[in-house]
Amino acid sequence: MSTPTPREQLARLLTYTRGFRATYLVSTGVKLGTFRKIAEVPGTTPEALAADLGLHLPYVLVWCKTACALGFLEADDAGHLTLAPGFDQILADPTSPWYYGAAVGLLVEYEADDLARHPDFFKSGTVHPFQSHGRAFSEQVGNATAGLHTVLVRRTLPALPGMEERLHRGLRALDVGCGCGGFILALARAFPGGRYTGVDVDRRALASARKAIRASGLSRRISVKAAGTDGFPVKGPFDLITLVQVFHEIRPELRPMVLSECARHIAPDGWLVILDETYPSSWTELRQPENWRPILTAYTELTWGNVLPTRSDQDALLAAAGFVIRERGVVGDGFTLLTAQKNS
């Protein structure tokens, strides 16, 4: 293999810097509603877009041309705009499992500030944890993971052996690290016969969850409670216990306790479902494409105090808590799906 030249390495760097600018362009389009409007009115023009949304036409015109150059939009010579294939679901439909608009907003509105402060964090060793970012941040995280909730509710859970019947008949489910309640709300709407409980340490997020639950009219079937380092304030057994994009946010020294609590509260034939990210175990795995997501998550959330577990970490922790992994798979662009049951 030949050694890359400076020109080739510069091209690599420029690809990343172009992506930085493209991220901000997408965030602007999501915030202003331009992607959604183009999806609603295919063939609209920059002039109509600016008029419909009350925006400054010269800026909108350049935004549209740039979005076309980057491949988000398509246009004919007269400037009639449509979304490029697939981006209607990715950037204009928050109900789609492919929707990524909220995640881009999270990058721009919150993660960018943390990343800009990294030089100071690296000197001081200061941690700015997830819970310190505020209630709006917690709600944005919930919006950003809504697509994953859809995949779990519609595909993953009904496919577990014996689970589809229980979901429809009515089961008891516990969501550990429920945040603002997005997942248990999605579960309760899809399967109205069950009873659902969420626990979390983030009291701001729980306040948002309670508000959303009241607004949904599902308060009789859903409850959320504050958890502490001494366990979960709930009574089992539960047919299903889930941890959705939360396990890597639990401090490493607390992970054995959390899984022990899951084992204590789960029914003998119940299912533990963990959707999270797995950090590479060796230096040689760092450049494997499937590891890009956990690598960048680990770097971005480094100063939040989050430590992503490796595969061996996950295996050892689950085994120590008395669980047997039934299946390990990949969801989306690098999420690890673990399904486990108690070792009988």
Side-chain angles (χ1 to χ4, degrees), residues 19 22-24 26-28 30-31 89-94 96-112 115 136-148 245 277 293 297 300-301 304 333 335:
T23 298
Y24 275 81
V26 169
S27 176
T28 295
V30 171
K31 279 186 178 181
Q89 294 185 61
I90 296 169
L91 296 175
D93 181 6
S96 168
W98 294 101
Y99 185 67
Y100 203 70
V104 172
L106 190 66
L107 287 170
V108 169
E109 294 172 37
Y110 295 98
E111 293 183 9
L115 291 167
F137 169 80
S138 297
E139 292 177 350
Q140 184 77 344
V141 170
N143 293 335
T145 55
L148 292 175
Q245 267 298 87
E277 298 175 55
R293 170 177 284 282
T297 295
T300 301
E301 300 183 8
W304 299 3
D333 62 341
F335 295 101

Side-chain angles (χ1 to χ4, degrees), residues 37-299:
K37 178 58 70 173
I38 294 169
E40 292 172 352
V41 189
T44 190
T45 63
E47 292 78 10
L49 197 62
D52 290 342
L53 298 176
L55 303 175
H56 183 57
L57 176 58
Y59 290 177
V60 171
L61 185 59
V62 173
W63 182 91
C64 291
K65 290 181 176 179
T66 309
C68 281
L70 292 170
F72 300 120
L73 301 182
E74 295 182 348
D76 59 20
D77 287 340
H80 295 103
L81 305 168
T82 57
L83 291 178
F87 283 114
D88 55 336
Q89 294 185 61
I90 296 169
L91 296 175
D93 181 6
T95 66
S96 168
W98 294 101
Y99 185 67
Y100 203 70
V104 172
L106 190 66
L107 287 170
V108 169
E109 294 172 37
Y110 295 98
E111 293 183 9
D113 289 341
D114 286 345
L115 291 167
R117 295 171 61 193
H118 268 199
D120 294 330
F121 285 135
F122 274 55
K123 293 174 184 177
S124 66
T126 303
V127 172
H128 185 45
F130 183 105
Q131 294 81 9
S132 298
H133 287 74
R135 183 169 172 173
F137 169 80
S138 297
E139 292 177 350
Q140 184 77 344
V141 170
N143 293 335
T145 55
L148 292 175
H149 301 163
T150 301
V151 171
L152 285 173
V153 170
R154 293 181 182 175
R155 303 176 191 171
T156 304
L157 297 182
L160 293 174
M163 183 56 68
E164 184 170 18
E165 180 185 350
R166 278 188 278 181
L167 285 167
H168 289 288
R169 185 178 69 230
L171 82 174
R172 294 191 67 202
L174 172 66
D175 187 34
V176 179
C178 65
C180 296
F183 176 66
I184 49 176
L185 278 165
L187 197 56
R189 290 185 180 110
F191 304 104
R195 300 190 68 85
Y196 307 96
T197 303
V199 294
D200 205 298
V201 298
D202 186 345
R203 294 180 183 272
R204 290 191 181 100
L206 289 173
S208 295
R210 293 186 180 102
K211 181 179 178 181
I213 292 166
R214 286 194 300 271
S216 71
L218 298 173
S219 298
R220 291 186 177 181
R221 294 194 291 111
I222 306 176
S223 63
V224 295
K225 301 178 181 181
T229 57
D230 56 347
F232 305 158
V234 298
K235 290 184 178 181
F238 293 95
D239 303 292
L240 172 69
I241 298 180
T242 53
L243 292 92
V244 182
Q245 267 298 87
V246 72
F247 192 69
H248 73 273
E249 296 174 353
I250 300 168
R251 298 204 309 270
E253 67 271 20
L254 294 178
R255 290 171 186 170
M257 180 278 291
V258 170
L259 289 178
S260 293
E261 282 292 277
C262 291
R264 186 165 72 90
H265 289 293
I266 201 166
D269 60 346
W271 282 94
L272 174 69
V273 176
I274 298 176
L275 184 68
D276 205 73
E277 298 175 55
T278 305
Y279 201 75
S281 299
S282 68
W283 287 83
T284 56
E285 295 176 358
L286 291 172
R287 291 191 178 179
Q288 293 175 359
E290 64 269 23
N291 290 329
W292 272 113
R293 170 177 284 282
I295 287 167
L296 292 177
T297 295
Y299 182 74

